[in-house]
């Protein structure tokens, strides 16, 4: 009886002590850090020659070992006098994109010196990254629209477009990724109007850069003021803790009379972008009210 009483006085059985140590170890173990959705994200740029030629083009290429998740551009020196015709990522349905080519035409004869800048948003290899496309009907209608949708099971990281058959006569009015603040985007819609009446047959191509699901992927937006000013600019940003993989824009209230001159992600060769600026001019004098919407596609940093 004395030995049994001592066992009760001096501690619990060994099995209870072992269990207690297991619980303590579980409580004290540090939590694993969240994985970055797009590690190594940076913004690369390339600018064309600056002169008074009717057409300017340049290609921004990701550093060796990185892939293209999104695109951007900027028209320099022309304020509503030049129209972007190509914002074309390379790659294909089975190939990851690594570069984007930007091409722009003068909308009207313009004697000034101007250039175009291409922006490439690049990251370390992203699982399942591909580029898909969709082309609208080819005819002489005033408006053309098409939607590029990611393959089933993939999400949209970035966007692009191309106008075919018009050289400075067509302007992209809608460049709109779907999704929302709690929903990953999976498609991009491109809508374009004739800037000036033309009898040419033409079409629009939408490009979607798609990947396997990314942590925290969402689409945010900012709508600018609606008024009759010649120029307006709006900034869309990512929530805290997220980075910009791609973007889009939408002009509201103008049908071929507004030109997005700046579609510029921030960031640089060492800093991940987190915002995109969309600036637009009237291509011809327009008395109506209109606005500009910027869209940001964001993933966990």
């Amino acid at each position: 009886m004395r030995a049994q009483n001592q066992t009760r006085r001096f501690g619990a059985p060994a099995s209870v002590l072992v269990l207690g140590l297991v619980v303590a170890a579980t409580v004290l173990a540090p939590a694993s850090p969240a994985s970055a959705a797009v590690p190594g994200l940076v913004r690369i740029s390339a600018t064309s020659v600056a002169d008074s030629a009717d057409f300017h083009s340049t290609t921004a290429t990701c550093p060796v070992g990185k892939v293209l998740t999104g695109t951007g551009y900027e028209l320099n020196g022309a304020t509503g006098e030049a129209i972007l015709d190509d914002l074309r990522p390379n790659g294909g349905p089975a190939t990851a994109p690594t570069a984007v080519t930007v091409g722009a035409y003068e909308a009207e004869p313009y004697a000034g010196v101007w250039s175009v800048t291409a922006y490439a948003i690049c990251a370390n290899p992203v699982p399942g990254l591909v580029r898909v496309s969709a082309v609208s009907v080819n005819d002489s209608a005033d408006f053309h629209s098409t939607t590029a949708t990611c393959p089933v099971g993939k999400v949209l990281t970035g966007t692009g477009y191309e106008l075919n058959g018009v050289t400075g006569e067509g302007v992209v009015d809608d460049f709109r990724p779907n999704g929302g603040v709690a929903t990953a985007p999976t498609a991009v819609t491109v809508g374009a109007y004739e800037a000036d009446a033309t009898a040419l047959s033409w079409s629009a191509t939408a490009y979607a850069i798609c990947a396997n699901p990314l942590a925290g992927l969402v689409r945010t937006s900012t709508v600018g003021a609606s008024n009759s000013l010649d120029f307006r600019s709006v900034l869309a940003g990512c929530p805290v803790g997220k980075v910009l993989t791609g973007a889009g824009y939408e002009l509201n209230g103008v049908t071929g009379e507004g030109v997005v001159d700046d579609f510029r992600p921030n960031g640089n060769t060492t800093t991940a972008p987190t915002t995109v600026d969309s600036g637009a001019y009237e291509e011809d004098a327009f008395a109506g009210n209109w606005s500009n919407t910027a869209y940001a596609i964001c993933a966990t940093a």
Side-chain angles (χ1 to χ4, degrees):
M1 288 296 293
R2 184 177 298 170
Q4 185 177 2
N5 289 339
Q6 288 177 343
T7 300
R8 289 174 181 170
R9 286 173 55 198
F10 292 110
S15 60
V16 176
L17 289 173
V18 171
L19 179 60
L21 290 173
V22 171
V23 171
T26 302
V27 172
L28 295 175
S32 299
S35 298
V38 278
L41 200 71
V42 294
R43 190 206 69 179
I44 305 298
S45 64
T47 302
S48 73
V49 62
D51 58 26
S52 59
D54 176 63
F55 177 73
H56 290 77
S57 180
T58 190
T59 298
T61 302
C62 292
V64 174
K66 291 186 183 288
V67 293
L68 184 81
T69 68
T71 66
Y73 69 85
E74 187 170 6
L75 299 177
N76 316 294
T79 54
E81 301 298 332
I83 295 176
L84 206 81
D85 190 79
D86 305 311
L87 180 61
R88 187 175 64 252
N90 67 352
T95 307
T98 56
V100 57
T101 296
V102 171
Y105 288 92
E106 293 179 358
E108 307 285 351
Y110 179 66
V113 172
W114 64 286
S115 65
V116 64
T117 298
Y119 294 110
I121 302 174
C122 306
N124 295 349
V126 176
L129 197 73
V130 295
R131 187 213 70 181
V132 299
S133 61
V135 184
S136 73
V137 296
N138 184 69
D139 58 26
S140 60
D142 175 61
F143 177 73
H144 290 76
S145 181
T146 188
T147 298
T149 302
C150 291
V152 174
K154 292 185 184 289
V155 293
L156 184 80
T157 69
T159 56
Y161 64 77
E162 185 172 6
L163 299 182
N164 318 291
V166 284
T167 54
E169 300 298 334
V171 59
V172 171
D173 187 85
D174 301 317
F175 186 36
R176 188 177 63 254
N178 68 351
V181 294
T183 308
T186 56
V188 58
T189 295
V190 172
Y193 287 91
E194 293 178 357
D196 293 304
T198 176
L200 295 171
S201 289
W202 62 285
S203 64
T205 300
Y207 294 108
I209 302 173
C210 307
N212 294 350
L214 296 177
L217 195 71
V218 295
R219 188 214 69 182
T220 67
S221 62
T222 303
V223 182
S226 180
N227 54 46
S228 60
L229 295 178
D230 176 63
F231 175 76
R232 66 278 326 283
S233 180
V234 63
L235 189 76
C238 293
V240 174
K242 295 182 186 288
V243 290
L244 186 83
T245 67
Y249 60 78
E250 183 176 7
L251 299 182
N252 315 290
V254 283
T255 53
E257 300 299 334
V259 176
V260 173
D261 186 86
D262 303 314
F263 178 52
R264 186 178 60 251
N266 74 342
N268 52 42
T269 57
T270 59
T271 305
T274 56
T275 64
V276 60
D277 180 67
S278 178
Y281 287 92
E282 294 179 358
E283 191 266 326
D284 289 313
F286 182 71
N289 290 337
W290 61 288
S291 66
N292 185 11
T293 299
Y295 295 105
I297 302 172
C298 307
T300 300

